Amino acid sequence: MEKIIEIKNLSYSYPDGTAALDNVNLSVFMGDCVGILGPNGAGKTTLLLHLNGILNGNSSVKIGGLTVDEKNLSVIRSKVGLVFQDPDDQLFMPTVFDDVAFGPVNMDMGTGEVQKRVDGALDSVDMKEYKERISHHLSYGEKKRISLATVLSMNPEILVLDEPTGNLDPKHRKEFIKFLSATDITKIIASHDIDMVKSICNKVAIMDKGSIAAFDTKENIFKNKDLLKLHSLY
Amino acid sequence: MQHSYIDKYAGLDSFLHGLDPRAKVIVSFIFIFAVVLSNPTAYLSFALYGLALLILLAVSKVPSSFVFKKTLIVIPFVALVALSIPFMKGKDGLALFTGILIKSYLSIFCMTMLTSTTKFPRLLKAMERMKVPSIFIMIMSFMYRYLFVLIDEFHRMQRARDSRSLGRVGRWDTVKVLSNIIGVLFVRSYERAERVYLSMCSRGFNGEIKTLD
């Protein structure tokens, strides 16, 4: 199998000196769905921000064999679709259409292709009739789904999701999980939603205090109750 | 959350709503120029301008209470800025002052008519096609998108304050708490701007604003 993400000895401190990541190693294969669990402040979001070069620790992240650095940035960002936790950060254009088209337009696609991508992406999250709607008039669940469409329109090879089911009501959460398990793109999902990780991921990484405490198949991780308890997950 | 959007009534169906937004933008600007350039004591023309706006208001089906409320908000600011004018030497200051008040009211009225008969995204598209620099359009689109997020946030903080202040606050306390809220709001907006920028970068933004033609 092909390694699609390779992180070696990644460490990162925020400008104010707070150490956020400490010697992280992680390899993800094509088609994997990796759940990242861990208490608040464990460094999950910081790790995700390294996957498309928003943050750059010590250039030890490789996506599809390409090192994440300044010169590969545009290629990497078209391969890695990162969805932020707060949909009000993800949706910044006036209409849903403009938002979903933002990525494709930046990838220099022609008008026809952009239209096609937007329709396809909105269709896959079941929001096609929302195209002309205005983002701030939508409900939280609708915003969450459209957030996902904004990266699906870029046809990414890897989906990176920060807390995708957070704050969703049970019905929308279930729909979201169903949708995620149906797509076979490689996925990295940081979440506190253990049941969701259990149902869609095949591998689980546990993060605590900036490092990966455990990385194994879902079965092995969830069998180990002591491990879960140790990291406030049980 | 409870607040009215500036283009709350832009979805109505009337002759004015159906016009090409570009035409409306051009006419509004010509109107405002005419108002601003007319003599401060030309009360007859002011009355005619006002009448024209009232006719438009009637045609547009937009509730007049909405428009009047929106337009009155601006008057205190204008009055404050123009407060020194009546005391200027050598000119008829009071006439100038009323002139300015009337002119600014008519201009605001006109802008309110424009925004309440045109959906904001369509207004932006129209300006884009009229070759308004994309940086201005981007700024206005962010303003439109985040103004209400900000207002919501303000209301939430106000509510949190109210639920803990047990209704026994003096006026001075209110001012103190309000200034805190504004401070926190500023920091939050700053941080949000940072996150929005990151999310733009994640989707291939590299400083150059690209638009779909």
Side-chain angles (χ1 to χ4, degrees):
Chain A
M1 260 208 294
E2 200 189 327
K3 242 186 222 176
I4 193 159
I5 302 175
E6 195 177 5
I7 304 173
K8 272 190 182 154
N9 310 325
L10 172 68
S11 296
Y12 179 79
S13 309
Y14 276 102
D16 65 356
T18 330
L21 294 178
D22 177 27
N23 200 17
V24 169
N25 292 286
L26 193 71
S27 293
V28 178
F29 294 93
M30 197 95 105
D32 268 348
C33 177
V34 179
I36 302 179
L37 295 173
N40 295 113
K44 300 188 292 288
T45 302
T46 312
L47 178 61
L48 298 189
L49 292 177
H50 278 86
L51 296 177
N52 71 349
I54 291 284
L55 293 178
N56 221 330
N58 39 12
S59 302
S60 40
V61 182
K62 276 187 181 170
I63 304 288
L66 281 174
T67 309
V68 177
D69 61 15
E70 206 60 49
K71 71 176 194 299
N72 295 329
L73 223 48
S74 62
V75 186
I76 295 223
R77 285 182 179 165
S78 66
K79 283 182 180 215
V80 181
L82 176 66
V83 181
F84 284 69
Q85 179 176 357
D86 183 350
D88 278 331
D89 295 340
Q90 187 74 26
L91 306 176
F92 46 75
M93 299 292 274
T95 67
V96 169
F97 176 87
D98 290 333
D99 245 316
V100 182
F102 188 85
V105 167
N106 276 320
M107 287 161 84
D108 289 322
M109 285 175 201
T111 311
E113 179 67 14
V114 171
Q115 301 270 10
K116 224 169 70 191
R117 291 285 189 103
V118 172
D119 285 338
L122 283 175
D123 206 22
S124 61
V125 293
D126 212 9
M127 297 295 271
K128 209 168 183 176
E129 63 278 21
Y130 280 70
K131 215 157 87 172
E132 298 304 323
R133 292 282 290 274
I134 289 169
S135 299
H136 66 247
H137 291 183
L138 305 172
S139 77
Y140 194 85
E142 291 163 345
K143 281 186 195 166
K144 272 287 208 194
R145 278 195 278 173
I146 288 162
S147 296
L148 189 62
T150 60
V151 300
L152 288 178
S153 63
M154 297 170 76
N155 254 351
E157 288 173 28
I158 308 168
L159 267 181
V160 179
L161 310 174
D162 196 354
E163 203 65 72
T165 54
N167 275 339
L168 284 183
D169 59 53
K171 176 175 166 262
H172 285 119
R173 176 177 168 273
K174 214 184 279 172
E175 281 173 8
F176 212 93
I177 292 176
K178 208 169 105 193
F179 171 77
L180 285 181
S181 49
T183 48
D184 47 11
I185 313 174
T186 311
K187 293 182 277 287
I188 313 287
I189 304 173
S191 183
H192 293 299
D193 186 345
I194 294 187
D195 290 331
M196 185 238 332
V197 170
K198 250 183 204 165
S199 70
I200 59 177
C201 297
N202 63 334
K203 287 182 183 162
V204 175
I206 293 183
M207 277 194 89
D208 206 348
K209 299 192 183 83
S211 48
I212 304 255
F215 180 48
D216 210 331
T217 59
K218 147 175 91 173
E219 292 77 14
N220 287 341
I221 293 278
F222 288 117
K223 247 184 352 206
N224 194 342
K225 296 277 188 270
D226 292 331
L227 177 78
L228 294 175
K229 254 183 212 160
L230 186 66
H231 300 288
S232 342
L233 295 166
Y234 184 70
Chain B
M1 282 278 174
Q2 296 286 315
H3 50 66
S4 60
Y5 299 108
I6 43 173
D7 55 353
K8 192 175 170 190
Y9 292 101
L12 295 179
D13 182 31
S14 81
F15 166 70
L16 219 52
H17 285 80
L19 283 177
D20 188 314
R22 279 174 295 183
K24 285 188 265 188
V25 171
I26 292 171
V27 171
S28 304
F29 275 94
I30 292 175
F31 183 89
I32 290 174
F33 268 112
V35 168
V36 171
L37 294 178
S38 49
N39 198 320
T41 49
Y43 296 117
L44 181 67
S45 36
F46 290 149
L48 287 175
Y49 289 139
L51 188 69
L53 286 172
L54 287 176
I55 292 172
L56 287 181
L57 177 61
V59 172
S60 72
K61 298 181 195 161
V62 177
S64 44
S65 60
F66 173 79
V67 174
F68 288 127
K69 242 195 262 167
K70 279 267 170 289
T71 47
L72 282 178
I73 293 174
V74 188
I75 291 304
F77 294 101
V78 178
L80 204 68
V81 172
L83 207 60
S84 64
I85 293 176
F87 305 106
M88 283 197 318
K89 261 190 231 160
K91 281 181 194 148
D92 186 1
L94 205 60
L96 211 57
F97 179 72
T98 23
I100 284 175
L101 273 192
I102 295 173
K103 282 180 184 185
S104 46
Y105 186 78
L106 287 172
S107 310
I108 292 298
F109 201 136
C110 176
M111 287 318 275
T112 311
M113 285 311 296
L114 177 65
T115 51
S116 48
T117 57
T118 320
K119 285 196 173 141
F120 207 80
R122 289 196 63 203
L123 206 58
L124 292 178
K125 270 272 169 310
M127 286 195 272
E128 197 180 294
R129 274 187 283 159
M130 287 161 72
K131 305 272 180 261
V132 173
S134 51
I135 183 87
F136 287 119
I137 294 176
M138 203 74 181
I139 289 173
M140 278 191 277
S141 104
F142 279 128
M143 186 206 75
Y144 178 69
R145 174 67 183 86
Y146 286 105
L147 189 62
F148 304 107
V149 175
L150 206 68
I151 295 175
D152 280 346
E153 219 155 318
F154 179 72
H155 282 318
R156 275 200 300 271
M157 289 204 275
Q158 228 175 6
R159 249 180 228 175
R161 179 206 63 187
D162 289 346
S163 29
R164 278 178 290 169
S165 64
L166 308 174
R168 275 184 309 168
V169 274
R171 196 161 293 166
W172 180 240
D173 289 324
T174 315
V175 173
K176 266 204 293 198
V177 174
L178 204 64
S179 58
N180 272 334
I181 289 185
I182 291 171
V184 173
L185 214 53
F186 177 76
V187 174
R188 285 198 192 174
S189 321
Y190 183 80
E191 283 172 352
R192 183 179 296 279
E194 199 87 332
R195 290 196 306 270
V196 170
Y197 176 66
L198 294 183
S199 127
M200 290 171 74
C201 289
S202 299
R203 284 192 266 152
F205 181 74
N206 56 7
E208 184 195 342
I209 301 163
K210 292 176 186 163
T211 47
L212 202 62
D213 17 62

